Amino acid sequence: MLIVKKFGGSSVADKDRIYNVARRCIEEYEKGNEVVVVLSAMGKTTDGLIAKAREINPNPPKREMDMLLATGEQTSVALMSMAMSALGVPAVSLNAAQVAMHTTSAYGMAKLKRIDTERIRHELDARKIVIITGFQGINKYDDITTLGRGGSDTTAVALAAALHADACEIYTDVDGVYTADPRIVPNARKLAEVSYDEMLEFASLGAKVLHNRSVEMAKRYGVQLVVLSSLTRAEGTIIKEETKVERMLVSGVAADKNVARISVIGVKNEPGIAFKIFNLLARHHINVDIIIQSIGREERKDISFTVARTDLQEAMTLLNENREVLTAQTIACEEGVAKISIIGAGMTSNPGVAAKMFESLYSANVNIKMIATSEIRITVLIAEEDVNRAMRTVHDAFDLAD
Ligand code: ASP
Ligand code: MG
């Protein structure tokens, strides 16, 4: 078997953890498997490097930023190879240029285009464990690029696809995907399996287990993933196309507090207004989520929507600057809101799921401000102060606990 094993920063944070990972990889190797290891930078190294750069120059050139950040992963792979060597197992570390992993040119947000596999194959054939830097690539200028924060997951999935790996294991500091955040819902249960689409919904709601693009890529190339912990032997969560035949109605509840609501009030009730508002925001890369348009009254209507709270300032400035073009009477915003969502691939074919969610919120006296649905998700916007209580109530209503 060819196995790709990816370890996050916390799994290689210090000497003991590095040796722990080295031993686990060697275990697989000694069973006769081919082992490719993808590593993140140790612990909080990437944050530290970003802080260092800002000390020198608050607005560093993007190319130099990637040059700097890539050193974090390069440190990890070299040390890992040394640990394996100390344990008497042949290993070799490779960075993105040595592999090579080709990406688009955009520094800080490059996308993988193609991975050359000859060098890796050659090292595997020589019975070495191959340890590869996550998160980085090279572009057409032979410059180092990075894939965006958390990008090592995507490196691992891309390598698994390119090498036609038999397994792709993503080790993190959580041991799988849960029905809800266990810090908020103590009786949350670990899921044995989730589908790619469910995982994408979990991730887009801030359940930061995997880099979103890694899941998209896994879905596209049919790479089955397992998320598990490097510190325990517990079984993880499998992420794949089809989950069990008896699909769970609802697989989990997720919350997102990085939300704010904007209301563009009293715009003219005529064609093109929604286009103008959302085009303006899209041009500035501001993502909009739940959208509600009121029924028109006296030639006027209101359009409300949510944005990430981190984008609120910029969105409000843009909208206010364009208030006249948008024909708005006032533009208001609200910050103390949060989204909670239920996610489940079984939802599509079962009526009454939404009603059940709303009933449980009603019973907990939680007011719903906005509602949005997709095929496998129902999201409500509520007051932020209600969010933890609402999570527990909804989690109970769908019997998600152990
Ligand atoms: N070290 C990079 C980061 O912290 C990439 C990764 O960990 O996946 O974002
Ligand atoms: Mg990560």
Side-chain angles (χ1 to χ4, degrees):
M1 284 226 297
L2 195 163
I3 307 173
V4 173
K5 296 163 97 67
K6 182 261 169 180
F7 296 88
S10 56
S11 300
V12 292
D14 55 33
K15 178 183 163 200
D16 288 349
R17 298 242 171 132
I18 288 176
Y19 269 97
N20 169 56
V21 167
R23 288 201 182 85
R24 288 189 78 146
C25 294
I26 288 170
E27 229 172 83
E28 299 285 6
Y29 170 87
E30 286 180 340
K31 287 181 203 157
N33 296 311
E34 297 180 309
V35 180
V36 173
V37 184
V38 177
L39 299 182
S40 291
M42 294 168 69
K44 303 245 170 275
T45 299
T46 309
D47 291 335
L49 290 170
I50 292 172
K52 250 189 204 133
R54 300 238 184 280
E55 253 176 54
I56 298 283
N57 178 345
N59 194 11
K62 291 199 164 74
R63 177 193 181 279
E64 304 310 331
M65 201 62 196
D66 281 2
M67 187 75 173
L68 177 71
L69 295 189
T71 62
E73 272 66 18
Q74 198 162 318
T75 304
S76 300
V77 295
L79 293 175
M80 183 61 67
S81 187
M82 292 176 195
M84 289 181 183
S85 164
L87 294 169
V89 173
V92 60
S93 65
L94 298 173
N95 66 17
Q98 291 169 311
V99 167
M101 290 189 270
H102 304 274
T103 70
T104 55
S105 336
Y107 301 106
M109 46 192 269
K111 294 212 161 81
L112 282 163
K113 288 204 308 200
R114 181 169 54 84
I115 297 180
D116 299 338
T117 53
E118 294 82 54
R119 177 74 193 268
I120 301 174
R121 270 278 29 124
H122 175 78
E123 303 291 358
L124 289 172
D125 290 344
R127 277 306 280 154
K128 287 183 197 162
I129 296 181
V130 183
I131 309 157
I132 300 174
T133 49
F135 177 55
Q136 57 180 259
I138 52 164
N139 65 16
K140 62 182 175 200
Y141 311 111
D142 272 342
D143 279 340
I144 292 178
T145 53
T146 64
L147 309 180
R149 298 304 306 270
S152 297
D153 296 337
T154 302
T155 307
V157 173
L159 278 166
L163 294 164
H164 306 286
D166 300 288
C168 183
E169 303 168 349
I170 313 279
Y171 291 82
T172 64
D173 44 5
V174 293
D175 60 358
V177 181
Y178 280 75
T179 52
D181 184 340
R183 288 167 302 184
I184 299 170
V185 183
N187 60 3
R189 181 171 48 84
K190 194 187 344 173
L191 291 158
E193 300 180 353
V194 284
S195 70
Y196 295 123
D197 290 332
E198 288 173 325
M199 194 61 220
L200 286 168
E201 296 281 12
F202 275 116
S204 67
L205 285 156
K208 290 261 171 302
V209 182
L210 286 177
H211 198 223
N212 237 359
R213 257 166 48 216
S214 70
V215 183
E216 283 163 9
M217 190 180 287
K219 179 178 155 95
R220 177 144 33 101
Y221 294 101
V223 176
Q224 184 171 313
L225 304 177
V226 192
V227 174
L228 60 189
S229 160
S230 58
L231 299 175
T232 69
R233 296 276 165 175
E235 270 176 46
T237 301
I238 297 171
I239 299 150
K240 59 182 197 176
E241 188 57 64
E242 274 304 315
T243 55
K244 295 196 193 75
V245 187
E246 282 174 66
R247 289 193 296 197
M248 295 277 293
L249 201 56
V250 171
S251 297
V253 187
D256 184 1
K257 294 183 184 170
N258 180 19
V259 197
R261 172 162 74 168
I262 296 180
S263 299
V264 184
I265 298 164
V267 295
K268 281 204 179 131
N269 198 6
E270 63 184 30
I273 299 294
F275 162 69
K276 283 177 192 156
I277 294 175
F278 297 116
N279 185 48
L280 174 68
L281 298 171
R283 279 205 322 263
H284 291 82
H285 305 286
I286 296 176
N287 237 354
V288 170
D289 191 17
I290 314 176
I291 302 173
I292 289 183
Q293 177 176 308
S294 70
I295 297 174
R297 51 176 149 71
E298 293 160 18
E299 312 296 305
R300 296 274 172 181
K301 64 188 175 189
D302 311 326
I303 297 180
S304 304
F305 51 89
T306 59
V307 295
R309 209 174 288 170
T310 39
D311 287 338
L312 179 63
Q313 278 294 327
E314 194 187 352
M316 286 300 284
T317 309
L318 282 168
L319 292 166
N320 277 313
E321 279 168 8
N322 291 275
R323 200 169 61 83
E324 267 158 44
V325 188
L326 303 174
T327 71
Q329 290 169 323
T330 13
I331 298 167
C333 67
E334 187 184 0
E335 283 197 67
V337 291
K339 282 190 287 196
I340 100 159
S341 305
I342 52 174
I343 294 151
M347 221 179 257
T348 339
S349 48
N350 283 281
V353 178
K356 191 167 177 176
M357 179 186 193
F358 302 156
E359 182 190 24
S360 68
L361 292 169
Y362 170 43
S363 72
N365 199 26
V366 173
N367 188 38
I368 300 173
K369 295 168 183 275
M370 288 172 118
I371 301 170
T373 63
S374 82
E375 276 197 357
I376 64 164
R377 167 168 72 96
I378 299 167
T379 300
V380 296
L381 190 77
I382 60 176
E384 185 176 3
E385 64 200 30
D386 289 338
V387 75
N388 291 356
R389 195 161 54 90
M391 288 270 282
R392 290 190 281 264
T393 304
V394 173
H395 194 264
D396 278 349
F398 287 95
D399 262 336
L400 292 172
D402 271 321

